């Protein structure tokens, strides 16, 4: 085994082990690699097979105090490093990794819900989370109900004896309302209902869910943790060890695993995440303030601005904002004009999955995404089409000039 032959105590002349023929040497060479290579980077341990020293070790499978490493699908030293760092950053204790943020969301549902159970989900939840829930309702006999994201303490009236899980997302996708997490969690705790939050927007840095009593945090590591728009990965983070074991068992039977190379890339991204988030925050607020002054824009849905629903909750719960927010254009503009505006942008690319260095823009027609008749909210004057903006790491002077030229060209 290369592991043993590379140990400094086991140095033997080349070919002195039982390898006599080239094909054996091709598989089991005698290596002599000096230890203590002092790199800052974590080692990338790829591995499906984990090699045990004895059969007793192998048979202790299932008792992590005796045999920690078992199979590359479940954990490697590289994935473990990422798990521990993510838990530390978010104030949790245990992390599970997934090949996407969506897989992490799915795992939470499949771990906690069975046929006949009920789940409450905010009406502004990340779209694929909604599609997943609708699929569970259609094909798996789960009861799925959507609640208004600003329901607050009113959620108590929706909790039924079979309600097993309440999802939260703060701020919610696209429309950016910040829910009253404290009120929702208090109602859930009073009835012993588990809460899970999609905490992707804050990167796990600007909102600490476990301090608010939330049970599970989901992160799309694809976004800020990676930071490069080139890795897909997700995580569930929890504090409670029993709940962790429940999620871990489901992950194991479902066969979710991640690549050590992807873990390495996310670990690299984490080193700069706090300074990147601070830069996104500064830039996004500057662009948002500029947009507030524009006559084409009737509302800027940025949690740090008073006109965003849940601004007070954001001030109470968050220590910063990040790069993603939305604007409502005046209802005098048609959907076609708004599409033209987005296509006229030169520095903002058209695409999903924010979190990287490049700015992005996508238009949304919200009334068809929400419970009928709830969008736009009552009293919002001239609330037209929504455009979601992601402010990357370009200079804001260029980004603002780009928004101005696209508005001038298309929103006359
Ligand atoms: C992108 C995203 C996800 C899903 O992440 P993927 O890795 O793309 O599956 C989940 N929640 C939110 C809020 C997201 O923005």
């Amino acid at each position: 085994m290369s592991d043993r032959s590379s140990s400094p105590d086991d140095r033997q002349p080349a070919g002195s082990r039982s390898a006599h023929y080239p094909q054996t040497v091709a598989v089991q060479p005698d290596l002599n690699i000096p230890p203590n290579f002092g790199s800052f980077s974590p080692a990338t341990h790829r591995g499906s097979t984990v090699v045990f020293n004895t059969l007793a070790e192998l048979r202790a499978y299932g008792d992590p105090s005796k045999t920690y490493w078992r199979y590359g699908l479940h954990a490697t030293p590289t994935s473990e490093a990422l798990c521990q760092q993510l838990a530390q950053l978010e104030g949790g204790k245990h992390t599970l990794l997934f090949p996407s943020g969506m897989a992490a969301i799915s795992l939470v549902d499949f771990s906690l819900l069975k046929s006949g159970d009920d789940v409450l989900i905010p009406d502004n939840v990340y779209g694929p989370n909604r599609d997943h829930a609708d699929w569970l309702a259609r094909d798996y006999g789960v009861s799925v109900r959507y609640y208004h994201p600003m329901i607050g303490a009113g959620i108590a009236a929706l909790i039924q004896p079979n309600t097993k899980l309440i999802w939260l997302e703060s701020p919610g996708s696209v429309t950016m309302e910040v829910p009253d997490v404290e009120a929702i969690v208090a109602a859930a705790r009073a009835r012993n209902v588990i809460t899970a939050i999609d905490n992707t927007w804050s990167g796990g840095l600007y909102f600490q869910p476990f301090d608010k009593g939330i049970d599970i945090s989901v992160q799309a590591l694809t976004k800020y943790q990676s930071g490069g728009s080139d890795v897909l990965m997700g995580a569930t983070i929890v504090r409670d060890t029993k709940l962790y074991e429940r999620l871990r068992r489901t992950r194991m039977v479902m066969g979710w695993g991640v690549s050590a190379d992807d873990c390495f890339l996310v670990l690299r991204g984490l080193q700069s995440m706090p300074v990147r988030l601070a830069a996104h925050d500064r830039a996004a607020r500057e662009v948002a303030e500029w947009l507030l002054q524009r006559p084409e824009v009737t509302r800027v849905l940025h949690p740090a601005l008073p006109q965003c629903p849940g601004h007070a909750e954001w001030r109470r719960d968050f220590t910063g904002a990040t790069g993603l927010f939305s604007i409502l254009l005046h209802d005098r503009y048609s959907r076609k004009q708004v599409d033209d505006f987005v296509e006229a942008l030169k520095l903002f690319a058209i695409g999903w999955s924010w979190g990287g260095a490049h700015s992005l823009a996508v238009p949304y027609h919200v009334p068809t995404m929400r419970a009928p008749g709830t969008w736009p909210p009552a009293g919002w004057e001239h609330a037209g089409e929504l455009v979601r903006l992601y402010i990357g790491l370009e200079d804001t002077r260029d980004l603002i000039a780009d928004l101005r030229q696209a508005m001038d060209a298309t929103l006359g």
Side-chain angles (χ1 to χ4, degrees):
M1 281 163 263
S2 58
D3 204 24
R4 284 197 214 151
S5 59
S6 66
S7 135
D9 310 325
D10 192 26
R11 289 182 191 173
Q12 298 168 339
S16 69
R17 295 171 72 236
S18 4
H20 298 298
Y21 299 102
Q23 184 54 45
T24 308
V25 176
V27 178
Q28 298 196 30
D30 277 333
L31 299 178
N32 179 7
I33 298 169
N36 306 324
F37 176 67
S39 164
F40 287 123
S41 296
T44 305
H45 290 276
R46 298 187 59 88
S48 50
T49 301
V50 168
V51 179
F52 301 94
N53 288 306
T54 63
L55 284 171
E57 259 184 26
L58 177 143
R59 288 176 184 142
Y61 186 97
D63 178 354
S65 68
K66 296 204 178 96
T67 299
Y68 193 81
W69 305 110
R70 305 194 286 173
Y71 188 46
L73 181 66
H74 307 322
T76 64
T78 316
S79 70
E80 186 69 20
L82 180 55
C83 286
Q84 291 186 15
Q85 189 169 359
L86 290 171
Q88 268 174 45
L89 283 170
E90 201 157 338
K93 210 162 147 196
H94 306 284
T95 304
L96 292 167
L97 297 172
F98 299 87
S100 69
M102 198 49 227
I105 289 170
S106 174
L107 188 284
V108 171
D109 284 347
F110 274 98
S111 299
L112 303 178
L113 300 172
K114 56 185 182 349
S115 164
D117 289 344
D118 175 65
V119 54
L120 292 168
I121 299 179
D123 203 19
N124 59 358
V125 79
Y126 174 66
N129 185 335
R130 188 185 195 106
D131 297 340
H132 186 272
D134 290 346
W135 172 63
L136 292 181
R138 203 171 50 243
D139 292 354
Y140 290 84
V142 173
S143 149
V144 175
R145 289 177 298 146
Y146 295 95
Y147 65 86
H148 192 281
M150 300 312 288
I151 196 170
I155 199 151
L158 296 182
I159 298 176
Q160 300 172 168
N162 64 337
T163 304
K164 294 291 158 59
L165 174 65
I166 298 176
W167 274 102
L168 299 97
E169 192 174 314
S170 183
S173 283
V174 179
T175 46
M176 307 299 294
E177 298 96 328
V178 182
D180 186 345
V181 166
E182 288 185 0
I184 293 173
V185 169
R189 298 224 135 198
R191 301 280 293 274
N192 276 322
V193 179
I194 293 175
T195 48
I197 191 165
D198 186 331
N199 195 22
T200 300
W201 185 81
S202 87
L205 276 195
Y206 292 155
F207 178 73
Q208 299 270 292
F210 306 108
D211 292 348
K212 296 282 183 189
I214 289 172
D215 297 302
I216 303 171
S217 175
V218 167
Q219 286 288 338
L221 306 176
T222 307
K223 309 288 165 55
Y224 290 123
Q225 287 83 354
S226 146
S229 308
D230 53 6
V231 183
L232 286 151
M233 209 188 276
T236 58
I237 300 159
V238 300
R239 239 182 216 175
D240 182 75
T241 302
K242 266 208 189 119
L243 181 58
Y244 166 69
E245 288 303 333
R246 221 171 140 184
L247 301 179
R248 195 176 65 85
R249 274 195 303 277
T250 309
R251 179 182 185 272
M252 199 178 288
V253 296
M254 292 183 101
W256 291 124
V258 294
S259 144
D261 299 287
D262 289 349
C263 292
F264 171 84
L265 290 171
V266 176
L267 281 162
R268 179 193 289 210
L270 282 182
Q271 297 182 56
S272 61
M273 186 174 75
V275 292
R276 282 187 284 111
L277 285 188
H280 290 299
D281 186 3
R282 217 168 31 245
R285 288 197 218 203
E286 191 184 324
V287 175
E289 295 281 350
W290 180 81
L291 286 160
L292 271 182
Q293 312 303 320
R294 294 294 303 197
E296 297 89 343
V297 175
T298 53
R299 195 167 282 261
V300 180
L301 299 170
H302 185 300
L305 294 177
Q307 55 181 244
C308 183
H311 169 68
E313 285 77 7
W314 175 81
R315 285 179 56 149
R316 182 191 67 194
D317 295 346
F318 284 75
T319 53
T322 64
L324 192 75
F325 66 95
S326 295
I327 56 175
L328 295 185
L329 292 162
H330 196 286
D331 62 5
R332 67 175 169 263
Y333 304 120
S334 66
R335 284 176 80 174
K336 166 81 169 70
Q337 266 178 300
V338 173
D339 286 354
D340 289 346
F341 160 66
V342 169
E343 291 194 329
L345 292 163
K346 296 188 168 84
L347 292 175
F348 287 80
I350 298 172
W352 316 112
S353 212
W354 38 276
H358 288 74
S359 292
L360 302 167
V362 181
Y364 289 86
H365 186 61
V366 182
T368 55
M369 298 161 55
R370 300 287 284 263
T374 59
W375 189 270
W380 285 19
E381 300 267 300
H382 301 297
E385 295 300 314
L386 181 148
V387 175
R388 187 180 74 175
L389 297 173
Y390 169 67
I391 306 304
L393 296 174
E394 303 93 341
D395 192 301
T396 48
R397 290 169 292 190
D398 284 326
L399 294 178
I400 287 170
D402 192 29
L403 289 162
R404 180 187 286 120
Q405 68 77 23
M407 282 178 172
D408 291 348
T410 60
L411 302 179

